[in-house]
């Protein structure tokens, strides 16, 4: 991925990722698989697995590496421990990476510089503006959201404005720039509200265009409804 190449972002239903022939959790690092074993709710485990696989596929697409060769790590600057916090690529320090998962949805992004992605079901109960401002104080000073016409997505209508502000704030937080530019859109086919925080150009892609050929026994997810699960309030991912 050259410096002028647009950032890549992919939004998917969890089952779209896990039903792919390349959906093999063995490509994850040992610490990631250990985290999966500690998730007691099967549906949430599927969401986490889907987001991590999707991110690896995006990085592989951007760098030309095989998905099982992607060295993805996380580090928390607050506690100093590895295994959580902002993800990064030691072998590609110029690239930023981000992932998100929520109730049957997964998202991943890779691009030059700082980047953050967030996704929520659009049926999500909209958080009050006060909650957004309390959790993300810098949101009120953030740059105006920039929008781009996308073939499968439409911009959020006014009634979703609070949810749009929430995913924008989450994406900016993940990018490490609480007042930087963000792009928010609604993926109608997946009933998702998504946001990407990045300063440069970007593009979306379908999950089947980034999934690599299968090389091991694929993960076979349980049968799940195509309707996203709805919970009461969004959370940081």
């Amino acid at each position: 991925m050259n410096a002028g190449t647009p950032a890549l972002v992919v939004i998917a239903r969890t089952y779209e990722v896990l039903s792919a022939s390349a959906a093999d959790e063995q490509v994850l690092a040992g610490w990631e698989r250990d985290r999966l074993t500690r998730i007691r709710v099967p549906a949430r485990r599927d969401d986490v697995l889907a987001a991590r696989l999707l991110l690896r596929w995006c990085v592989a697409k951007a760098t030309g590496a095989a998905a099982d060769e992607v060295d993805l790590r996380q580090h928390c600057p607050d506690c100093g421990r590895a295994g959580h916090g902002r993800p990064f690529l030691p072998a590609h320090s110029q690239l930023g990476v981000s992932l998100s998962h929520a109730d049957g949805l997964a998202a991943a992004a890779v691009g030059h510089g700082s980047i953050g992605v967030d996704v929520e079901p659009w049926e999500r109960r909209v958080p009050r503006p006060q909650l957004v401002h309390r959790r993300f104080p810098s949101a009120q000073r953030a740059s105006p959201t920039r929008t781009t016409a996308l073939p499968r997505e439409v911009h959020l209508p006014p009634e979703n404005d609070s949810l749009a502000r929430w995913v924008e704030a989450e994406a900016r937080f993940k990018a490490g720039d609480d007042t930087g530019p963000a792009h928010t859109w609604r993926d109608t086919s997946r009933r998702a509200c998504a946001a990407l925080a990045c300063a440069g150009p970007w593009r979306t892609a379908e999950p089947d265009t980034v999934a690599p050929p299968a090389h091991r026994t694929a993960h076979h997810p349980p049968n799940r409804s195509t309707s996203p699960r709805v919970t009461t309030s969004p959370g940081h991912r």
Side-chain angles (χ1 to χ4, degrees), residues 11-35:
I11 308 297
R13 294 283 189 119
T14 292
Y15 74 81
E16 289 181 282
V17 177
L18 299 189
S19 62
S21 59
D24 181 5
E25 66 183 66
Q26 293 304 309
V27 305
L28 302 185
W31 63 267
E32 291 177 290
R33 296 195 299 272
D34 289 343
R35 286 185 61 179

Side-chain angles (χ1 to χ4, degrees), residues 128-204:
R128 298 186 303 275
Q130 298 91 326
L131 176 61
V132 178
H133 296 154
R134 185 166 64 249
R135 181 163 181 175
F136 303 104
S138 299
Q140 298 179 73
R141 306 191 306 273
S143 302
T145 297
R146 298 190 296 182
T147 57
T148 303
L150 302 170
R152 288 167 55 91
E153 295 85 6
V154 295
H155 304 315
L156 290 165
E159 60 266 26
N160 290 96
D161 188 56
S162 291
L163 183 58
R165 287 200 299 272
W166 180 276
V167 294
E168 286 173 20
E170 287 272 15
R172 289 185 175 110
F173 177 81
K174 293 176 182 181
D177 184 356
D178 291 346
T179 60
H183 318 262
T184 305
W185 70 98
R186 185 173 70 170
D187 185 325
T188 57
S189 66
R190 298 177 179 92
R191 304 180 68 82
C193 174
L196 178 73
C198 71
W202 58 287
R203 68 182 181 91
T204 61

Side-chain angles (χ1 to χ4, degrees), residues 65-177:
D68 59 354
E69 296 174 347
V70 173
D71 183 11
L72 177 69
R73 303 185 192 183
Q74 287 180 259
H75 179 265
C76 177
D78 295 328
C79 71
R81 293 183 178 181
H84 64 283
R86 186 171 294 122
F88 66 99
L89 304 169
H92 301 278
S93 58
Q94 78 280 13
L95 296 180
V97 290
S98 183
L99 74 162
S100 179
H101 49 83
D103 299 332
L105 294 167
V110 56
H112 276 267
S114 299
I115 196 168
V117 69
D118 195 62
V119 67
E120 295 284 354
W122 78 37
E123 291 93 346
R124 179 78 74 187
R125 182 178 295 176
V126 179
R128 298 186 303 275
Q130 298 91 326
L131 176 61
V132 178
H133 296 154
R134 185 166 64 249
R135 181 163 181 175
F136 303 104
S138 299
Q140 298 179 73
R141 306 191 306 273
S143 302
T145 297
R146 298 190 296 182
T147 57
T148 303
L150 302 170
R152 288 167 55 91
E153 295 85 6
V154 295
H155 304 315
L156 290 165
E159 60 266 26
N160 290 96
D161 188 56
S162 291
L163 183 58
R165 287 200 299 272
W166 180 276
V167 294
E168 286 173 20
E170 287 272 15
R172 289 185 175 110
F173 177 81
K174 293 176 182 181
D177 184 356

